[in-house]
Amino acid sequence: MLENKVAIITGGTRGIGLETVRTFAKNKAHVILFGSRIETVEKALDTLKQEGLMVEGYAPNLTDMEALEKLMKQIKDQYGHIDILVNNAGISANKKIENTSSEEFERIMSVNVNAMFNMTKVVVPYMKEQQNGVILNTSSMVSLYGQPSGVGYPASKFAVNGLTKSLARELGSYHIRVNAVAPGIINTDMVAALPKEMIDPLIQTIPLGRIGEPKDIANAFLYLASDMASYVTGTILSVDGAARS
Ligand code: NAD
């Protein structure tokens, strides 16, 4: 479904991102994954290689515009085009407001929102030049309902939806589509890090009766990245088994 497309996926070393890398590569895209540390990038590349999937990877600092601009030029020079950007890197929070420092709040906004802005800003000039492109963002079901603690996380995901809907309007005339997927509770390290007493009761309320798997989200990204979604932009696609946080 993505033959000859060049796709950059942030947070591609594990969880939802790694499964999206795998799914895009199996669908014949040239995938470049980004992670926060070179060791985890290399580990992910090794895993994929053992599965017969050749992928490239880097660990740029997503807040360093100069480094991002340089890397994007390098990728463009190497492949000739940049077709798909998946802004998936993210961190979560679950502490009550009185136990959350302003630095912790800033950190979550920096990774979940500012990095998404930075990546998008450096890729858009190439997509505008091509008059074509797809930008996909990882939101969350908490972007619709909020959550009872860890306010920085839903605040950041409401911002992700704002970026998605606004940029879809700004970039539509350049044939650049911008969409987000809003996962429910997905079986990754991020959820494993949350207290069991917080997650278990939530899983029991999911109408589809199970936790989501990274593959469920990767398949949604595959659809949105492909020409099957050629008239879909500005959408926040819920993939959550009808869970309500
Ligand atoms: P994960 O913790 O398994 O993976 C997070 C990824 O983000 C890793 O590849 C990591 O390297 C990268 N990352 C984290 N901090 C970074 C930084 N400072 N710079 C660069 N990269 C960084 O988590 P996941 O569950 O796969 O989450 C992926 C995305 O899905 C996140 O945006 C998350 O908010 C979202 N999400 C997850 C769930 C869930 O239930 N797991 C639900 C809704 C939304």
Side-chain angles (χ1 to χ4, degrees):
M1 282 166 76
L2 302 179
E3 197 152 12
N4 293 324
K5 302 280 187 195
V6 176
I8 299 170
I9 302 178
T10 72
T13 57
R14 55 176 200 255
I16 291 169
L18 178 60
E19 193 55 37
T20 305
V21 169
R22 188 177 275 126
T23 301
F24 281 23
K26 282 183 182 166
N27 279 271
K28 305 259 173 76
H30 302 287
V31 185
I32 300 113
L33 73 80
F34 287 5
S36 53
R37 288 187 299 125
I38 196 65
E39 299 79 28
T40 53
V41 167
E42 277 166 6
K43 189 170 162 248
L45 296 183
D46 271 357
T47 305
L48 293 160
K49 199 172 166 187
Q50 282 167 27
E51 297 168 17
L53 299 170
M54 295 312 288
V55 169
E56 252 188 275
Y58 301 95
N61 176 351
L62 300 181
T63 62
D64 181 346
M65 284 304 276
E66 216 174 297
L68 291 180
E69 271 162 12
K70 215 169 133 200
L71 184 51
M72 236 36 77
K73 184 172 179 319
Q74 182 191 318
I75 292 169
K76 158 79 179 173
D77 288 348
Q78 188 178 340
Y79 291 99
H81 45 107
I82 300 174
D83 305 295
I84 302 162
L85 168 65
V86 183
N87 285 307
N88 168 74
I91 52 174
S92 69
N94 66 329
K95 288 195 260 178
K96 297 287 181 196
I97 189 163
E98 58 272 35
N99 300 325
T100 304
S101 66
S102 54
E103 289 76 19
E104 284 169 321
F105 185 82
E106 267 170 35
R107 166 99 186 120
I108 202 159
M109 296 304 275
S110 168
V111 177
N112 293 6
V113 184
N114 294 44
M116 183 175 284
F117 169 84
N118 293 344
M119 281 298 299
T120 306
K121 185 173 161 68
V122 296
V123 161
V124 157
Y126 297 112
M127 290 186 172
K128 275 191 171 178
E129 197 187 316
Q130 293 161 195
Q131 289 280 305
N132 212 304
V134 176
I135 298 167
L136 301 173
N137 300 325
T138 308
S139 181
S140 166
M141 71 174 172
V142 305
S143 75
L144 304 173
Y145 314 111
Q147 66 182 25
S149 61
V151 69
Y153 185 63
S156 72
K157 297 299 186 178
F158 273 75
V160 168
N161 292 3
L163 280 171
T164 303
K165 285 178 176 286
S166 300
L167 288 173
R169 297 181 68 180
E170 181 174 330
L171 301 173
S173 60
Y174 300 94
H175 310 286
I176 300 170
R177 297 188 293 105
V178 189
N179 290 294
V181 172
I185 304 170
I186 309 301
N187 194 7
T188 70
D189 291 352
M190 183 177 276
V191 163
L194 295 172
K196 211 171 144 42
E197 41 308 349
M198 180 178 166
I199 292 301
D200 282 357
L202 287 177
I203 293 174
Q204 279 162 21
T205 67
I206 299 171
L208 282 187
R210 67 169 175 90
I211 191 169
E213 294 298 331
K215 187 88 205 152
D216 294 314
I217 307 306
N219 284 339
F221 276 134
L222 174 62
Y223 158 69
L224 288 170
S226 77
D227 290 342
M228 302 260 287
S230 60
Y231 199 54
V232 181
T233 195
T235 284
I236 315 297
L237 176 59
S238 289
V239 181
D240 60 9
R244 300 290 171 260
S245 71

